[in-house]
């Protein structure tokens, strides 16, 4: 089962940065720097959730905590007005918090869904027999934790070297408190038995996820208020719908895969509108987008082949 953890270690940064389009195929060496934090974080989140008998509500909440910690404490992009020269805090800036509403919503959603949850879901679907069981023993968890910490420190050093930005300590303390509160909340979700009720077919869940992904990724050129409204609508709507459906006895592996597939395909098509921060070029950029999109489709096909066709017994946390 260590092979599953190994696969997740590298799949997390591949989805988070390469499938997104931030890195070109000629920048694959960057995995050595990206995998420790992304992969180590994804492994820790998945293992602690499964070891405590918990499932997706816990993992999603821990993924959100990961996003707060990475962007609030490690890279500090939530507070840096000129992070990577992108001027991310220009719109709807909230002075008392030191954050921009659109950027905060965007980056936390990206980490919660794509950086952590999608890679976990894909690897679990590739190995359905071990989906709810731990993959690592204590030494493996220690290694993952050390790698995640080293990756975070490397990112702190790299960001400081690049931007020379340091957020005020009250904002850093606020991010730490929010991250810790989310971690505590993650393990407070109650176990509930499934109830009777209709569940849409998996293909409808896939279509809904693709539409939600398009509404989330498309409004870059729209007015800020439209952008924010769409993001809130998408994630509130999807959260309510999935929580409702996943608590019913007809919900199963095919539905979970549909959610992961919709999110994966959203990144795949959106990458063609991105210019890589590293590995950009007139030929390598479109080639990179095609290669990573094709690999994503192949991975989804393999996950689909491995996914059980019939609903399995579960609780809402599974």
């Amino acid at each position: 089962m260590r092979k599953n953890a190994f696969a997740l270690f590298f799949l997390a940064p591949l989805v988070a940065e390469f499938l997104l389009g931030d890195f070109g195929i000629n920048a694959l060496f960057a995995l050595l720097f990206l995998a420790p934090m992304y992969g180590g974080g994804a492994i820790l989140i998945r293992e602690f959730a499964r070891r405590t008998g918990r499932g997706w509500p816990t993992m999603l909440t821990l993924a959100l905590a990961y996003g707060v910690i990475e962007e609030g404490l490690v890279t500090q992009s939530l507070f840096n007005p000129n992070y990577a020269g992108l001027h991310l805090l220009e719109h709807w800036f909230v002075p008392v918090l030191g954050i921009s509403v659109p950027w905060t919503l965007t980056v936390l959603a990206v980490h919660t869904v794509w950086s952590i949850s999608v890679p976990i879901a894909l690897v679990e679907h590739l190995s359905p027999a071990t989906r709810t069981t731990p993959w690592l023993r204590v030494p493996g968890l220690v290694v993952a934790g050390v790698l995640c910490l080293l990756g975070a420190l490397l990112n702190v050093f790299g960001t400081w070297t690049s931007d020379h930005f340091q957020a005020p300590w009250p904002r850093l303390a606020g991010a730490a408190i929010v991250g810790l509160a989310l971690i505590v909340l993650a393990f407070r979700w109650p176990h509930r038995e499934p109830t009777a009720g209709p569940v849409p077919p998996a293909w409808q869940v896939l279509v809904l996820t693709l539409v939600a992904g398009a509404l989330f990724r498309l409004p870059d050129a729209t007015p800020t208020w439209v952008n924010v409204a769409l993001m809130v609508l998408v994630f509130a709507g999807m959260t309510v719908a999935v929580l409702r459906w996943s608590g019913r006895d007809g919900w199963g592996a095919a539905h979970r895969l549909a959610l992961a597939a919709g999110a994966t395909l959203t990144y795949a098509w959106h990458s063609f509108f991105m210019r890589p921060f590293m590995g950009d070029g007139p030929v390598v950029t479109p080639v990179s987008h095609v290669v990573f999109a094709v690999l994503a489709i192949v991975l989804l096909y393999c996950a689909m082949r491995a996914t059980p066709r019939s609903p399995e017994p579960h609780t809402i946390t599974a």
Side-chain angles (χ1 to χ4, degrees):
M1 290 186 286
R2 285 177 294 181
K3 65 180 181 181
N4 295 331
F6 184 81
L8 180 58
F9 184 75
F10 288 103
L11 185 61
L14 283 169
V15 172
E17 299 290 356
F18 290 85
L19 183 60
L20 170 62
D22 279 348
F23 288 78
I25 196 170
N26 57 338
L28 280 171
F29 66 88
L31 279 175
L32 297 175
F33 306 98
L34 296 170
M37 185 171 66
Y38 280 114
I43 290 171
L44 291 176
I45 287 170
R46 192 266 172 196
E47 288 298 290
F48 278 112
R50 294 308 189 190
R51 279 176 171 270
T52 56
R54 299 178 180 274
W56 279 107
T58 293
M59 286 191 282
L60 286 165
T61 308
L62 289 175
L64 178 57
Y66 171 93
V68 171
I69 292 169
E70 177 177 334
E71 302 299 334
L73 300 177
V74 177
T75 68
Q76 298 182 30
S77 79
L78 292 182
F79 313 115
N80 188 347
N82 196 34
Y83 179 74
L86 297 176
H87 308 290
L88 298 170
L89 309 187
E90 285 185 340
H91 303 291
W92 281 28
F93 182 72
V94 183
V96 68
L97 298 177
I99 63 173
S100 161
V101 174
W103 171 242
T104 299
L105 291 175
T106 298
V107 75
L108 295 185
V110 161
H111 282 309
T112 302
V113 176
W114 285 278
S115 298
I116 302 296
S117 299
V118 167
I120 291 174
L122 291 176
V123 177
E124 285 194 342
H125 275 276
L126 288 170
S127 182
T130 62
R131 184 179 68 84
T132 60
T133 59
W135 292 338
L136 296 175
R137 297 179 180 177
V138 173
L141 286 176
V142 172
V143 171
V146 170
L147 287 173
C148 186
L149 179 60
L150 290 177
L153 293 175
L154 183 63
N155 272 272
V156 169
F157 175 77
T159 303
W160 170 255
T161 302
S162 174
D163 294 343
H164 296 286
F165 173 82
Q166 179 65 46
W169 74 263
R171 293 175 182 171
L172 296 177
I177 291 171
V178 171
L180 180 60
L182 287 169
I183 292 172
V184 173
L185 174 64
F187 294 98
R188 302 284 292 181
W189 289 111
H191 292 270
R192 288 186 288 171
E193 293 299 322
T195 59
V199 173
W203 70 266
Q204 290 184 9
V205 175
L206 172 61
V207 171
L208 178 63
T209 306
L210 288 170
V211 171
L215 291 175
F216 174 74
R217 299 306 314 188
L218 279 178
D220 295 339
T222 61
T224 301
W225 71 270
V226 175
N227 195 343
V228 171
L230 282 174
M231 284 191 288
V232 172
L233 177 65
V234 165
F235 282 96
M238 288 297 293
T239 299
V240 171
V242 173
L243 282 176
R244 185 176 182 183
W245 293 332
S246 64
R248 295 174 176 173
D249 51 16
W251 185 266
H255 297 91
R256 290 190 296 270
L257 180 59
L259 290 171
T264 302
L265 294 174
T266 296
Y267 255 22
W269 68 255
H270 186 265
S271 69
F272 287 88
F273 298 92
M274 298 282 289
R275 289 189 60 184
F277 295 127
M278 183 179 294
D280 188 19
V283 175
V284 71
T285 294
V287 169
S288 297
H289 296 333
V290 170
V291 168
F292 290 126
V294 170
L295 290 175
I297 292 171
V298 171
L299 185 64
L300 289 174
Y301 175 76
C302 294
M304 182 181 68
R305 291 289 302 270
T307 299
R309 301 298 179 185
S310 58
E312 73 276 17
H314 72 291
T315 65
I316 195 171
T317 60

